[in-house]
Each structure stands twice: as C-alpha cells, then as structure tokens.
Amino acid sequence: MGDRPNGTAMEKGCREIKYCRKCLMPTSRPRIEFDSEGVCNACGHAERKQQVIDWEERGKEFREVLDRYRSKDGRWDCVVPWSGGKDSSTIAWKLKYEFGMNPLLVTFSPMMPNEVGSRNRESLIRAGFDHLFFRPNQKAHRRLARRFFIERGNPKVAWDAGVNALPVQVAVNYAIPLIFYAEHGETEYGGKVIHGQSGKVRDFTEVIEHQIGDDPMNWVEEEIGEKDVQPYLYPDLDYIRERGVTAFYFAYFNKWSMYENYLYIRERIPFQTHPQGRTVGTFTDFDSLDDKMDPLYYYMQFIKFGFGRAVRDASRMIQNGHMTRAEGLSLASKYDSEFPHEFFDEVLEYLGMDEEAFHEIVDKHRNREIWERVGGRWVLRYPLPEV
C-alpha cells in the first residue's frame, strides 16, 4: 500500500516535522529523504520520470523481457499479484491484451472483503482472465489481526506477509518464471533505495526487511500453530532462485500514475468506485476499495506518522501533475484527520474489542513526537501548512 503504518510510538522528544516544498509529504514518513532545497526524493523521482527517463527505451527493454518469458505452449507465463483494484487490473489488462502474455492473477483475500472489491474482481475475470483467490484460516487470521493491532498498532501485519508471500509461493509451485508487481514503493513514493536496480527487479531480501519485517514462525504461540502460519511464509530464497523465478516492477518500464491507471481501467471494465463519492479519510473514490479494514489501517498511519490517506493521495497526484500543491493542501486539510467511521462496528467485532479498548490502543500507539494534548484533546504539533 505504499505508506506502511508499521512500528510503535516514539517517546516524547519532539523533533520538528517539515513538509516537502513540492508535495505534502512530511519528514516523518519512514525512510524518506529530503534534499537541501526541502524537496522529498519522491518528487525527485517524479521529475526524473518527466524529464530524464527515456520511456521509449524502457518500452523496448520491457518487450525484450516479455519475449524472453512468453509462453510458447499456452501455459501461464507470469503471475500478477492482483487485488482487483485499478493498478493491478491495469497491469493485468496490458500484459494480456496489449502484449500477448498469459497471466495468472493471484489474490490473497482482503481481511474484510466488501461488495465494491468483489464486483471489480468479477468484472475483470469475466473479461477473460484466470484467477486464484486464497483466503486463510479466519480463526487464526483474526487472532493475528487483534494481536498485531494491540502490539504494533497495525491489524494487517499478517495480511502484509500473506500478500507478499502468496504470489511467490504460486510462482514457485506452478513453475511460472515471472512475476509482475506494480511499483517499487521506496523509489516511487520516497524511501530508501538500496541499489540501482531496486526500482526494476524485486529484491526478495528487501521485501522481507521492508514489507514483512518479521518471520511468521515467530508468531507461533499457544493458539497459533506452525500449520496456521503457512500462508504467510515466504519461500526460501535459494529455492526461489533454483526455480528460476524473477520478479519485475511494471512501473520501471511504464510511467506510473495511480490516477492514470484508474482512467485506463474504467474505459475497459465497469470499474466501480466508492458509492459515497469518496473514501473515508481522503478525497479520492477509486483507490484501495476492497477491504473494510483499510480506513483503520490508514488512520493508524496518521496516528503514528502525522499524515493520513489524503496527504498520501494528494502527494501522489501533485507529483504526477494531476493537481497543484494548493489544491492538494486544501483537500488534505479537510479530510486527512477523518476518523475511520465507515465499517467501524464491523471492524471492532472482527478485532474482538469494544470501543473503549480500541481508543486505549490507538492512544498507546500515538506518536508523542507528533501529538500533544491541548484543551483535553490531541492535536498535531506540526500540522499541515496554511493553504
């Protein structure tokens, strides 16, 4: 999902938080880097996309990769980790209908699937795709969600592991040599880029460190056995190499924009957006639509790092030239702090807790470098700048 609400609240030390001079991303985003002019490295990458990268040459390189892996006998020749959202659906459509590949779509189930996500998945499958949908043991999955919400302020730790592990498990077990992921978040949205090929080839070691950050075998306890964590286990790296599985980022070869992906896929399938006209916590209606847990997931990002879903969306659209900084600032100021009221009762039931316990856990993970109590309520020490 890009901006990941992992980690725990820091003690009160109060380092100043600054915002990128081009977009709205704060210095509190994990691993982000700012240059001497106060511009984040996500904006630097966006500028390179527009002015430096030779996309025609990248396109040639992309076709060479596809020709190297394209099936000659009708077998699946690539795996697409697929949520049914606008990004992964755009990748799947382009691979099959523009480049003649035969992708297998692989979905690790949303934690709490909703109707919009189900309908969007069904629309693409009906357009001519093969699909594997995996739903883990819900007794164990819910227990892990509750545990990690309490311990880490992130109910989706196990889901994060599963969504990363399953496509690789499928590729290895079905002898499919190629996986296409969407974008390298550290490159695209600001973070730590380990080496020059990070944005092109998926580094499985980096995934374990940045995306999963834990060994699911560490989760085994009295009510979670080894058999319960199998869906979350990443295949052994030596075994992945032996099986010849390689993973690329689609965004390295094709200029990436979440908004343009939405415009692309809505012209090809009846892609549904949020029925209320926007998603809770932001101004967009077309992104991360498939999981009832997501409003809480992004709200905890706001609690930990001082920026929420609206800042995230606005920054991405500013970087790709789809809105001005002033427009993004106005929208983010209006929606970024919104409480995740949609599906809230269902989420509490899923996590097995009441509202009082919920708020106690939220405040436990509230970053005291970012928040302070004023007049009996929590306020940001370094709020968004004025419009």
Side-chain angles (χ1 to χ4, degrees):
M1 290 193 200
D3 300 311
R4 308 177 64 77
N6 289 322
T8 57
M10 292 178 280
E11 292 300 318
K12 182 177 178 181
C14 202
R15 58 186 170 88
E16 184 180 2
I17 293 172
K18 298 181 180 179
Y19 292 86
C20 176
R21 293 178 60 187
K22 287 191 174 181
C23 70
L24 304 178
M25 198 52 60
T27 52
S28 56
R29 186 188 193 276
R31 301 182 299 279
I32 199 166
E33 297 177 359
F34 280 60
D35 66 18
S36 60
E37 302 298 318
V39 176
C40 74
N41 54 350
C43 284
H45 176 69
E47 184 174 341
R48 289 192 294 276
K49 287 197 300 184
Q50 298 298 330
Q51 301 179 11
V52 178
I53 296 174
D54 184 340
W55 291 106
E56 184 176 344
E57 187 62 31
R58 291 277 178 96
K60 292 178 182 178
E61 188 177 359
F62 184 58
R63 290 188 289 274
E64 289 173 1
V65 168
L66 298 184
D67 289 342
R68 185 160 67 240
Y69 289 96
R70 183 175 283 107
S71 172
K72 303 297 191 297
D73 60 4
R75 297 183 185 183
W76 297 306
D77 46 28
C78 58
V79 166
V80 175
W82 182 63
S83 67
K86 84 277 182 231
D87 295 327
S88 54
S89 293
T90 291
I91 292 170
W93 189 283
K94 287 185 175 181
L95 285 172
K96 180 158 189 169
Y97 292 121
E98 293 188 10
F99 295 100
M101 300 294 283
N102 186 26
L104 175 63
L105 311 185
V106 176
T107 303
F108 192 94
S109 173
M111 292 185 70
M112 300 177 66
N114 63 26
E115 189 173 336
V116 171
S118 297
R119 287 180 177 177
N120 284 336
R121 283 190 294 273
E122 185 65 19
S123 291
L124 194 74
I125 293 167
R126 289 186 178 186
F129 290 85
D130 294 324
H131 177 220
L132 286 179
F133 185 93
F134 179 84
R135 196 152 188 241
N137 170 346
Q138 287 298 289
K139 182 178 180 181
H141 202 55
R142 292 175 68 151
R143 181 172 177 81
L144 289 169
R146 174 186 169 86
R147 171 182 169 181
F148 290 131
F149 179 59
I150 293 171
E151 291 180 0
R152 309 186 193 182
N154 178 6
K156 299 189 75 170
V157 169
W159 181 88
D160 286 336
V163 80
N164 277 283
L166 181 67
V168 184
Q169 290 179 359
V170 170
V172 166
N173 292 330
Y174 281 71
I176 303 172
L178 181 62
I179 307 173
F180 266 112
Y181 288 89
E183 77 276 49
H184 180 243
E186 301 292 300
T187 297
E188 195 75 24
Y189 306 125
K192 185 176 179 59
V193 179
I194 293 178
H195 54 73
Q197 293 292 298
S198 291
K200 175 183 177 181
V201 181
R202 189 169 174 91
D203 186 318
F204 295 118
T205 303
E206 179 189 26
V207 170
I208 293 173
E209 180 179 344
H210 287 171
Q211 301 291 324
I212 300 174
D214 196 3
D215 182 350
M217 291 302 293
N218 294 332
W219 307 343
V220 173
E221 38 97 339
E222 184 176 349
E223 296 191 38
I224 299 291
E226 291 187 8
K227 65 181 181 301
D228 297 318
V229 300
Q230 295 305 305
Y232 315 106
L233 293 175
Y234 216 73
D236 181 80
L237 298 185
D238 289 336
Y239 188 52
I240 295 172
R241 297 185 188 101
E242 288 174 9
R243 300 290 285 176
V245 174
T246 303
F248 289 96
Y249 289 106
F250 192 85
Y252 173 83
F253 305 100
N254 304 269
K255 190 184 297 184
W256 191 254
S257 163
M258 70 170 194
Y259 181 61
E260 290 174 26
N261 289 341
Y262 161 61
L263 297 180
Y264 178 92
I265 201 62
R266 77 174 187 180
E267 294 298 318
R268 288 156 178 84
I269 63 172
F271 186 85
Q272 293 194 4
T273 56
H274 197 286
Q276 302 302 318
R278 69 172 184 87
T279 307
V280 170
T282 190
F283 55 91
T284 63
D285 66 352
F286 55 80
D287 182 63
S288 295
L289 298 170
D290 64 331
D291 196 334
K292 295 177 182 179
M293 188 65 73
D294 277 357
L296 172 59
Y297 182 74
Y298 287 106
Y299 183 71
M300 293 307 296
Q301 172 186 292
F302 179 64
I303 294 298
K304 293 180 180 182
F305 305 124
F307 74 98
R309 196 167 181 174
V311 164
R312 164 192 180 268
D313 290 352
S315 294
R316 295 181 182 187
M317 294 186 74
I318 292 166
Q319 290 156 7
N320 287 298
H322 297 301
M323 66 171 48
T324 67
R325 189 176 190 271
E327 290 170 334
L329 190 54
S330 177
L331 290 166
S333 297
K334 186 175 182 180
Y335 297 118
D336 207 47
S337 62
E338 188 172 19
F339 184 81
H341 55 81
E342 188 176 27
F343 310 122
F344 183 57
D345 289 341
E346 293 177 66
V347 167
L348 289 180
E349 192 277 330
Y350 189 96
L351 296 175
M353 64 181 57
D354 59 27
E355 191 168 347
E356 181 179 358
F358 170 85
H359 287 293
E360 288 178 359
I361 293 164
V362 169
D363 284 341
K364 168 186 153 185
H365 293 285
R366 194 180 295 273
N367 189 331
R368 300 307 197 267
E369 287 190 326
I370 292 172
W371 296 93
E372 62 180 339
R373 294 283 286 185
V374 177
R377 65 188 186 94
W378 290 105
V379 297
L380 288 171
R381 295 177 184 273
Y382 301 99
L384 284 165
E386 297 293 330
V387 178

